[in-house]
Amino acid sequence: MTDQTLTPAQSAADQPAADRTAPVQPAAVPQEARDHAADLGEFIAASPSSYHAAAEVARRAQAAGFTLLAEDAAWGVTPGGRYVVVRDGSVIAFTVPATAGPTTPFTIVGAHTDSTGFKLKPKPTTHGAGGWWQVGVEVYGGPLLNSWLDRELELAGRIVTHDGTEHLVRTGPMLRIPQLAIHLDRGVNDNGLALDKQRHTQPVWGLGDAQSADVLAALAADAGVDPADIGGYDVVLAETQPARAFGAGQVLFASARLDNLLSTHAGLTALLGRASGDDGSTGVEMFAAFDHEEIGSASRSGAAGPFLEEVLVRISTALGATAEERSRAFAASLHVSSDVGHAVHPNYPERHDPANHPVAGGGPILKINANQRYATDAHGAAAWNAACREAGVPTQEFVSSNVVPCGSTIGPISATRLGIRTVDVGVPILSMHSARELTAVVDPWYLSRAMSAVLGG
C-alpha cells in the first residue's frame, strides 16, 4: 500500500474498505508520526509510575498555560479558562469555551495511567540465599510474568513522610528478577516456564549481609529525607529500557507501559494542541486519565470512583447550572475511552475473530462487545467514525473471538456512573501486559489526530 496510503489530508471514508486496514509501508510514515512517537518515548521515560504520569501531564499542561487547581480550594472556573487537577495517580485537564453556559456539554477523552507489574510490599527488604539482597513485591494486575525476567528495573512511585508531605521517587536501574539457568532446568523449553508468583518473582538488588540492606533507605535518599521519616509509600517496579523505533524503515515502536501511556499521551497531546489556538470550541473539552484500571478501577482515583463526576459537577456549578441543566449537559456529552487493543498476532492468528483483524499501521481501533465489556453503541461508533473521517485517519474494528473473552476498560465503568454516552477505542499492539510492548510508529499519531477531531465536535 504505497500510493493508496492515507495522508493527513485524505479521508479514510474515501478509501476502499479492503485498504482502510492495510498496514503503512515504511516510506509512508509521515514525519509528524515519527515526531509524535519520539515525544511518546519521552513521556513514558518521565512516567515510571502512575504518580509520575499524572505529574508529567500536569507539568505539560501548566507549561501550555493551564492553571493547576487544588481539590481542597475554591476553584473559580470561568469561561475561557484552562485548568488541570491531580488526584493521586489520576489527572484531569480541561478547557472551558468563552461561550460556556449552564447546558454546555462535555467532550471527554479518557485513558489510564497505571500498568501491570509489581508493587513493593510492607517490610520490603529481604535477604535471600547466597547473600543476595532482595525486595518483597506483590503482583499488580495481570502481567506476563516471564517478560519481567532478566531486565534492569527501577523502583518508582511516591513516599509520604510523617508530616504528610508527598515525594515522587525513582531509583533508576537497581533491580533484576533473575531467571533460572537452563542447566538447572533442562526441560524448560519443552515443558514451559511456570513461575511461582511468590517464590520466583522477588528481585535481587545487591550483595552482602542482611543488616546492611535497606531498600527504603534507597528511596529516602532519592527524596532527600531520613528513612525514619517515611510514613507510607506506593512504589512499583518499572522497566528502564528506553522506547525505540526499529524494524524495516523504522516503522515499529517498542516500549514499556504502552498500556496505557500511549493513550494518555495521545489524549493530552490532542487537548494541548487544540488549546494552543482559537479553535472555536462550543463545549468543554476534557482529558481524564485514571489510576487503578488494571485492578478494576475501584478506588478514589479510579474510574469507578467519584473523581470525574466531582470535577464535572464543580465545572457545571461554576457555569451556573441547576441539577436539571447539568443533566441536559450530560445528555449531550460524549466520552471517548481509549485503551490499547490486540493487533492480530502473526504466530497465533487463530486467537482472533476470523473476520475482524486489526493490523498494526492500520489506524486506531473501534472496540465492540455484545456484552458491554466495551461501551460502544451505534451512536458512539458513528461519532468515532465521523471524527476519523474529519481527521483523515483510517480506522478499524476490534471484536474478540467468541472463545477468547475480551477484557474491559474504563468506558463501561464511567458510562454506568455518569450516564454519558461512551465509545471505546484504542491502538492495536502486540505483547499486551508484557514488560515491553509493541505497536506501529504511525498508530499513536493517528489516535491523537482522531482524538483532536473528537474534541472539536
Side-chain angles (χ1 to χ4, degrees), residues 66-137:
F66 284 60
T67 298
L68 181 65
L69 302 173
E71 287 195 273
D72 60 354
W75 279 8
V77 170
T78 59
R82 306 170 185 175
Y83 307 93
V84 61
V85 57
V86 175
R87 175 183 288 186
D88 299 329
S90 299
V91 60
I92 295 175
F94 59 95
T95 63
V96 184
T99 56
T103 59
T104 296
F106 299 85
T107 304
I108 307 162
V109 172
H112 69 85
T113 57
D114 62 320
S115 301
T116 61
F118 300 86
K119 188 173 182 180
L120 204 61
K121 285 184 173 182
K123 299 182 178 65
T125 305
T126 62
H127 195 251
W132 292 99
W133 291 354
Q134 293 186 272
V135 296
V137 295

Side-chain angles (χ1 to χ4, degrees), residues 109-112 260 263 336-340 410 423-426 447 451:
V109 172
H112 69 85
N260 189 33
S263 296
V336 175
S337 160
S338 181
D339 205 343
V340 293
I410 65 169
V423 56
D424 271 297
V425 304
L447 177 65
M451 287 176 165

Side-chain angles (χ1 to χ4, degrees), residues 126-398:
T126 62
H127 195 251
W132 292 99
W133 291 354
Q134 293 186 272
V135 296
V137 295
E138 186 177 7
V139 176
Y140 179 87
L144 286 168
L145 297 177
N146 65 294
S147 70
W148 286 80
L149 301 177
D150 299 331
R151 296 179 180 273
E152 285 65 58
L153 309 172
E154 67 177 321
L155 292 173
R158 65 179 180 179
I159 62 174
V160 178
T161 49
H162 290 302
D163 63 0
T165 303
E166 181 177 310
H167 305 264
L168 291 181
V169 292
R170 63 183 306 179
T171 62
M174 188 177 106
L175 313 96
R176 185 180 176 98
I177 305 173
Q179 188 165 189
L180 184 65
I182 192 170
H183 311 79
L184 304 178
D185 186 5
R186 294 288 185 178
V188 65
N189 289 331
D190 299 318
N191 302 327
L193 178 64
L195 296 174
D196 183 287
K197 293 180 180 179
Q198 177 60 41
R199 294 185 297 124
H200 300 151
T201 63
Q202 309 308 300
V204 300
W205 66 287
L207 289 165
D209 61 82
Q211 291 70 35
S212 302
D214 187 354
V215 71
L216 292 184
L219 293 172
D222 182 76
V225 302
D226 190 314
D229 287 339
I230 296 178
Y233 55 85
D234 296 299
V235 174
V236 298
L237 295 188
E239 205 268 355
T240 61
Q241 184 180 352
R244 173 171 292 175
F246 69 105
Q250 304 285 289
V251 298
L252 304 178
F253 186 81
S255 177
R257 303 183 292 283
L258 289 180
D259 182 7
N260 189 33
L261 295 184
L262 185 159
S263 296
T264 299
H265 174 264
L268 175 65
T269 301
L271 180 68
L272 298 188
R274 289 187 51 76
S276 64
D278 182 9
D279 52 41
S281 303
T282 58
V284 175
E285 299 181 7
M286 178 177 289
F287 166 67
F290 302 95
D291 204 352
H292 303 137
E293 189 275 345
E294 297 292 0
I295 54 172
S297 296
S299 69
R300 70 184 296 269
S301 53
F307 185 33
L308 177 57
E309 183 177 14
E310 288 175 357
V311 171
L312 294 176
V313 168
R314 291 180 79 162
I315 294 170
S316 65
T317 299
L319 297 177
T322 63
E324 180 182 354
E325 288 170 328
R326 181 163 57 249
S327 294
R328 290 169 60 191
F330 281 16
S333 298
L334 177 68
H335 176 202
V336 175
S337 160
S338 181
D339 205 343
V340 293
H342 302 290
V344 170
H345 197 300
N347 298 336
Y348 304 91
E350 73 281 359
R351 301 297 179 93
H352 302 268
D353 180 77
N356 294 276
H357 273 196
V359 297
I365 54 176
L366 176 66
K367 297 182 174 183
I368 299 167
N369 180 256
N371 297 304
Q372 285 292 289
R373 300 291 287 170
Y374 305 132
T376 302
D377 64 7
H379 285 283
W384 175 250
N385 287 324
C388 289
R389 286 194 301 271
E390 174 68 23
V393 168
T395 187
Q396 46 192 336
E397 290 82 25
F398 171 81

